[in-house]
Amino acid sequence: MKVCIGSDHAGYALKEMAKKWLLDWGYEVDDVGAFSEASVDYPDFARKVATAVARGEYARGVLICGTGIGMSIAANKVRGVRAALCHDVFSAKATRQHNDSNVLTMGSRVIGAGVAQEVLRAWLSEEYEGGRHAPRLKKITALEDDMLTTKC
Ligand code: RB5
């Protein structure tokens, strides 16, 4: 499975760790940056990862900032992206099962490396259940489509 990973400065250190875990687990990984702890803007990296996932270049995306919230907000602006902010294993599994999330966001200032590793592992290995969740995802897609032409 191909995974695209990105962070801002706040998520840089955890992103470097996550990249190593992914490679150790046998995933193919592309890193879009940030490449240091110099201050950058998280939407730039959310855009890179989310659009690459939306284009189908990667099966999954991982985004890390200080809280995970900014990355989640930005990534979810991209049509076809279902980004899930997860800081616990239960949520990581549930969002794969129910939401078929294709981007995971985490906050490096919220959780430590140990929990982040477990969350990432759980999120990558859990399958989407389909069934009763499928019409709900269709409604999300319909909402995206409507918002292209409609103002609230
Ligand atoms: C950077 O200071 C911080 O705002 C960012 O990493 C993130 O937490 C935004 O949601």
Side-chain angles (χ1 to χ4, degrees):
M1 186 194 288
K2 281 179 75 176
V3 178
C4 190
I5 192 166
S7 74
D8 69 356
H9 53 287
Y12 169 73
L14 183 57
K15 186 259 291 172
E16 290 300 302
M17 283 188 251
K19 192 166 57 178
K20 186 179 175 305
W21 301 331
L22 290 166
L23 292 170
D24 287 349
W25 296 334
Y27 293 97
E28 199 178 321
V29 186
D30 282 334
D31 181 356
V32 301
F35 297 113
S36 79
E37 289 185 338
S39 186
V40 289
D41 299 330
Y42 60 84
D44 296 337
F45 300 90
R47 175 190 283 257
K48 286 183 189 183
V49 170
T51 55
V53 171
R55 285 194 299 267
E57 293 168 15
Y58 298 90
R60 305 280 186 87
V62 177
L63 285 163
I64 303 171
C65 62
T67 60
I69 297 170
M71 287 296 198
S72 167
I73 291 170
N76 276 313
K77 301 296 180 194
V78 177
R79 201 163 168 240
V81 165
R82 292 176 300 280
L85 169 60
C86 297
H87 289 141
D88 65 275
V89 169
F90 174 82
S91 301
K93 288 184 177 178
T95 187
R96 284 290 311 134
Q97 293 164 352
H98 294 203
N99 314 126
D100 196 17
S101 52
N102 48 11
V103 172
L104 171 69
T105 76
M106 294 188 287
S108 63
R109 295 173 179 159
V110 183
I111 49 171
V115 174
Q117 187 181 33
E118 286 182 15
V119 166
L120 182 60
R121 187 73 156 153
W123 183 75
L124 284 166
S125 42
E126 203 67 26
E127 295 293 332
Y128 171 52
E129 287 178 353
R132 72 184 190 280
H133 305 295
R136 296 165 187 164
L137 293 196
K138 272 193 178 173
K139 289 190 177 188
I140 292 174
T141 304
L143 178 60
E144 285 176 337
D145 290 346
D146 290 348
M147 290 300 108
L148 286 175
T149 51
T150 316
K151 288 203 171 176
C152 312

